[in-house]
Amino acid sequence: MKFSIERAALLDAVSQAQAVVERRNTIPILANVLMEADADGVSFKATDLDIEVIDKATAQVERPGGTTVSAVLFHEIVRKLPDGALVQISEDQAQGRLDITAGRAHFSLATLAREDFPVMASSDYDANFSCKAGVLRRLFDKTRFAISTEETRYYLNGVYMHVAEGEGGRKFRAVATDGHRLARVDAELPSGAEEMPGVIVPRKTVDQVRKLLSDDDAEIAVSVSETKIRFATPQITLTSKVIDGTFPDYARVIPTGNTRELKVDAKDFAKAVDRVATVSSERSRAVKLTLDEDRLTLSVNAPDSGNAEEELAVAYGDEKLEIGFNAKYLQEIAAQVDVEMATFLFNNSGDPALMREGDDLSAIYVVMPMRV
């Protein structure tokens, strides 16, 4: 194998692939990236056995072939090469080495046979559809903060993507929850997604897919089966296993009878919560909200370190209410608001609160209260 490639194109391709590789591996070949050169260019493949990424790049191929080399080491070398460099890569099969030359810099890396590189089994997909990158990014960005990190509740360790009944018909929906807060976001159902099975997309997959979604107008080809999900652009294909579990009936925890409405500037609210939470103990991080006629008082009382209080002018016309929340949860939920005003709906101090972005019903958030 022998080819030449621009450093920028090589770095782009290798960055996406090496991000999938686990740093600590008991199987040496999983620490490697598989590079294969043919008449169409070069492809770089990496896997952790749950996710597989294939990234294609344009190159001048002199001799087709393929080998595997340490993904992290190869990425570090390419990253440190000068901008605009033309990188020449060739394989010395007899020595089991990969030679990398750029200008006066030369590297020789150990390789492992490409025949040993694991291949993810091909799959028949139940639904194939196309979706704008901006739509997928919104679904993932607004829900991933609520993904659980508890390994014992593995079925909550991802975003549940499915087709559901929403405002004005069937919707493409993403939901995540950790039992303390919940995010539910709807988008228009893409053509071809009607028969899509509901799948739980793992956290790591969500993080990797997010890197494919920088261009809002790019079309992403999505394929879904009961066991796998695939996202593809012309250059990159990411295939992932989905979490084998049943997502809980989240509709039961979304309050429908909350009538006490609070409207507040989302940015001012998040900053005020952050300020008063400075004195709270790290373990509880509890903030008390006291609601009165067009006034919201945020307060923290931490016996060990002190107390804090801040008042905000808000729109609230119901009876007085005192309710406590985890400060971090409030900040994360307020950070999802893209419009100026956040709308909170409360029932009483022991019931979960619901938040939405102004009057938009396509994204709703639920947060459980705390005793304060």
Side-chain angles (χ1 to χ4, degrees):
M1 177 181 70
K2 187 175 183 183
F3 63 90
S4 306
I5 185 170
E6 287 283 338
R7 180 248 181 201
L10 180 59
L11 183 60
D12 275 355
V14 175
S15 295
Q16 183 78 36
Q18 69 89 33
V20 170
V21 172
E22 290 290 344
R23 291 294 183 268
R24 288 189 291 276
N25 261 312
T26 51
I27 307 170
I29 195 85
L30 291 182
N32 282 17
V33 60
L34 168 65
M35 62 180 81
E36 295 181 300
D38 58 27
D40 298 327
V42 187
S43 69
F44 299 88
K45 183 191 287 188
T47 183
D48 64 359
L49 297 182
D50 290 324
I51 305 174
E52 178 186 87
V53 168
I54 303 170
D55 207 326
K56 294 177 182 154
T58 304
Q60 294 286 110
V61 178
E62 288 183 43
R63 196 166 61 239
T67 189
T68 80
V69 68
S70 166
V72 173
L73 188 56
F74 186 56
H75 175 256
E76 278 298 289
I77 288 169
V78 175
R79 189 175 63 80
K80 292 176 182 178
L81 292 176
D83 283 342
L86 183 68
V87 186
Q88 293 178 314
I89 294 174
S90 60
E91 180 194 8
D92 184 341
Q93 278 185 314
Q95 300 292 324
R97 315 294 280 185
L98 185 77
D99 295 322
I100 305 161
T101 305
R104 296 184 180 182
H106 180 78
F107 304 86
S108 182
L109 304 182
T111 62
L112 291 172
R114 68 170 164 174
E115 290 75 25
D116 297 335
F117 197 83
V119 177
M120 190 177 270
S122 58
S123 202
D124 287 329
Y125 293 100
D126 300 319
N128 297 280
F129 56 94
S130 184
C131 191
K132 284 267 194 289
V135 172
L136 283 173
R137 190 172 75 229
R138 176 176 175 269
L139 289 172
F140 284 141
D141 278 3
K142 287 183 174 293
T143 53
R144 64 180 178 167
F145 74 92
I147 296 174
S148 174
T149 52
E150 279 183 54
E151 293 299 322
T152 50
R153 303 170 81 189
Y154 64 93
Y155 48 85
L156 297 181
N157 294 163
V159 173
Y160 180 42
M161 294 189 73
H162 59 299
V163 178
E165 287 298 329
E167 289 289 317
R170 301 181 84 203
K171 299 290 181 185
F172 188 31
R173 179 173 289 176
V175 181
T177 182
D178 63 359
H180 303 291
R181 62 254 165 97
L182 177 144
R184 191 200 82 188
V185 183
D186 287 351
E188 289 304 314
L189 187 63
S191 174
E194 296 82 7
E195 300 306 314
M196 168 185 151
V199 291
I200 307 168
V201 185
R203 173 194 292 276
K204 183 176 176 181
T205 306
V206 170
D207 292 342
Q208 294 306 319
V209 170
R210 182 64 189 76
K211 296 172 186 173
L212 309 183
L213 309 176
S214 51
D215 178 6
D216 272 4
D217 293 324
E219 289 287 343
I220 309 292
V222 184
S223 302
V224 188
S225 74
E226 297 277 0
T227 56
K228 288 199 185 86
I229 188 163
R230 186 176 69 198
F231 301 89
T233 69
Q235 285 77 39
I236 302 171
T237 302
L238 186 150
T239 309
S240 170
K241 293 178 183 174
V242 298
I243 293 172
D244 182 13
T246 304
F247 202 78
D249 180 9
Y250 60 86
R252 288 191 304 115
V253 300
I254 298 174
T256 54
N258 288 15
T259 54
R260 299 179 179 185
E261 184 178 271
L262 159 73
K263 291 197 171 185
V264 58
D265 184 293
K267 285 191 173 62
D268 290 350
F269 177 74
K271 286 174 183 170
V273 170
D274 189 30
R275 280 192 289 270
V276 298
T278 310
V279 300
S280 68
S281 66
E282 274 304 312
R283 210 159 45 83
S284 72
R285 298 279 290 167
V287 173
K288 182 163 83 173
L289 279 62
T290 306
L291 290 155
D292 218 335
E293 187 75 36
D294 289 342
R295 193 171 76 232
L296 167 64
T297 307
L298 300 161
S299 58
V300 169
N301 188 8
D304 300 340
S305 50
N307 51 29
E309 187 173 296
E310 183 164 342
E311 206 171 277
L312 289 174
V314 297
Y316 180 76
D318 220 302
E319 57 194 74
K320 187 174 178 180
L321 173 69
E322 290 187 351
I323 188 167
F325 293 103
N326 180 304
K328 177 169 169 273
Y329 296 166
L330 284 182
Q331 284 172 276
E332 286 182 338
I333 281 178
Q336 306 310 316
V337 180
D338 294 329
V339 295
E340 186 182 0
M341 302 300 282
T343 302
F344 284 87
L345 293 164
F346 303 99
N347 187 26
N348 59 47
S349 59
D351 290 333
L354 186 141
M355 190 207 82
R356 59 176 192 250
E357 302 178 44
D359 297 321
D360 182 9
L361 299 176
S362 70
I364 61 169
Y365 308 90
V366 179
V367 59
M368 299 297 288
M370 285 177 77
R371 269 206 203 92
V372 284

